[in-house]
């Protein structure tokens, strides 16, 4: 099962804010964008639905976005928060299976064959995973196939399939655009010039010529996705010790409010 997090940049900041302010919570209903401070200027790298509706897009300069919405709420991208968020999703996944793999920056993979019966079958299993993630404020895309890479490619493209057998897997993969693989642009451009735009188009090319002209790892990726080659992964190992600090403002002087502040720490 692949858990793809298409909104991880924004969700990681909201998750961090909610965890850091367990009493006050965080502001809702505010149009928000995230900017990346790396490079020459402030550029929007993520935006919520309200910002998109106002015409703001990723890659737009912050000044241009503010011209469209002067009251825009601006957050700064935080790489450590994104990593912590991905690990939090992995910790959530460990509630369903002990075999969890991080796929940075925006996905988690679960080996679930041994868990499906325990949780009531494929559909109920996926529904429970989705419900648990949504309780964290996550809007995931989920896909289940016999291979980790195929699951990841389907989830990235928003195709929430549930395939138990390898029969027909290659034909389903064939329809996916090459963007699912996230291959370097220097390879995608010549492929597009050849009229190769889908996974199926790649599978029709001569294998030796494909590996020689582009990159051997691209051919290996196709084989792994189709289940024709092994795809070993390094499992996520939770930390053995847990430590967290919360600075509470204003000062808390009664046990009821202290309990509400400490509750989320115990849950974590």
């Amino acid at each position: 099962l692949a858990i793809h997090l298409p909104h991880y940049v924004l969700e990681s900041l909201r998750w961090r804010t909610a965890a850091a302010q367990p009493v006050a919570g965080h502001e809702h209903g505010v149009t928000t964008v995230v900017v990346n401070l790396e490079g020459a200027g402030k550029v929007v790298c993520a935006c919520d639905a309200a910002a998109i509706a106002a015409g703001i897009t990723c890659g737009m300069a912050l000044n241009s976005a503010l011209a469209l919405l002067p009251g825009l709420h601006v957050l700064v991208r935080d790489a450590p928060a994104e990593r912590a968020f991905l690990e939090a999703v992995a910790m959530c996944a460990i509630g369903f299976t002990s075999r969890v793999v991080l796929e940075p920056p925006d996905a988690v993979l679960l080996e679930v064959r041994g868990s499906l019966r325990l949780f009531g079958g494929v559909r109920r299993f996926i529904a429970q995973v989705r419900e648990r993630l949504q309780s964290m404020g996550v809007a995931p895309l989920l896909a289940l196939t016999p291979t980790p890479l195929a699951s990841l490619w389907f989830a990235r493209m928003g195709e929430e399939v549930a395939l138990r057998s390898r029969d027909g897997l290659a034909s389903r993969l064939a329809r996916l655009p090459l963007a699912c693989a996230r291959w370097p642009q220097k390879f995608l451009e010549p492929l597009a010039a050849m009229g190769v735009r889908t996974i199926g188009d790649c599978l029709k090319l001569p294998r030796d010529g494909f590996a020689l002209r582009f990159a051997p790892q691209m051919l290996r990726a196709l084989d792994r996705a189709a289940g024709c080659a092994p795809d070993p992964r390094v499992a996520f190992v939770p930390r053995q010790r847990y430590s967290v600090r919360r600075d509470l403002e204003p000062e808390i002087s009664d046990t009821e409010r202290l309990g509400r502040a400490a509750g989320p720490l115990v849950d974590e």
Side-chain angles (χ1 to χ4, degrees), residues 5-14 34 45-46 77-78 82:
L5 309 168
H7 313 294
Y8 75 101
V9 174
L10 184 56
E11 288 173 345
S12 64
L13 294 172
R14 288 175 169 169
V34 182
C45 62
R77 187 169 186 177
D78 187 335
E82 292 169 13

Side-chain angles (χ1 to χ4, degrees), residues 3-8 11-12 15 85 88-89 92 129-142:
I3 301 173
H4 175 54
L5 309 168
H7 313 294
Y8 75 101
E11 288 173 345
S12 64
W15 169 80
F85 176 66
V89 172
C92 174
V129 172
R130 188 188 307 277
E131 182 180 356
R132 187 80 60 84
L133 292 169
Q134 288 175 340
S135 71
M136 293 175 57
V138 179
L141 293 172
L142 307 177

Side-chain angles (χ1 to χ4, degrees), residues 41-216:
K42 297 180 180 179
V43 176
V44 175
C45 62
C47 42
D48 63 13
I52 294 172
I56 298 172
T57 60
C58 292
M60 179 180 287
L62 179 59
N63 288 340
S64 300
L66 290 171
L68 291 174
L69 281 178
L72 196 61
H73 182 50
V74 180
L75 300 174
V76 177
R77 187 169 186 177
D78 187 335
E82 292 169 13
R83 177 70 184 196
F85 176 66
L86 191 65
E87 291 186 1
V89 172
M91 286 297 298
C92 174
I94 284 177
F96 297 94
T97 173
S98 60
R99 300 175 180 176
V100 176
V101 174
L102 299 182
E103 188 72 22
D106 57 0
V108 174
L109 299 171
L110 290 68
E111 199 291 304
V112 301
R113 185 179 296 275
S115 304
L116 296 179
R117 177 185 289 185
L118 177 64
F119 287 93
V122 172
R123 299 294 177 182
R124 290 188 62 188
F125 178 83
I126 292 176
Q128 290 178 69
V129 172
R130 188 188 307 277
E131 182 180 356
R132 187 80 60 84
L133 292 169
Q134 288 175 340
S135 71
M136 293 175 57
V138 179
L141 293 172
L142 307 177
L144 185 147
T145 77
T147 72
L149 201 52
S151 299
L152 185 61
W153 287 0
F154 279 116
R156 283 173 177 171
M157 294 296 102
E159 292 200 27
E160 298 194 305
V161 300
L163 306 175
R164 292 289 303 275
S165 170
R166 281 177 52 184
D167 296 339
L169 176 59
S171 62
R172 295 291 295 270
L173 280 169
R175 299 196 293 267
L176 293 178
L178 293 185
C180 71
R182 294 184 177 173
W183 289 334
Q185 193 64 29
K186 66 178 181 179
F187 296 131
L188 294 179
E189 290 177 357
L191 284 169
M194 297 165 54
V196 177
R197 294 181 172 82
T198 67
I199 296 299
D201 293 336
C202 278
L203 292 173
K204 294 175 184 176
L205 297 174
R207 290 175 57 86
D208 292 342
F210 181 80
L212 183 64
R213 181 168 180 179
F214 297 101

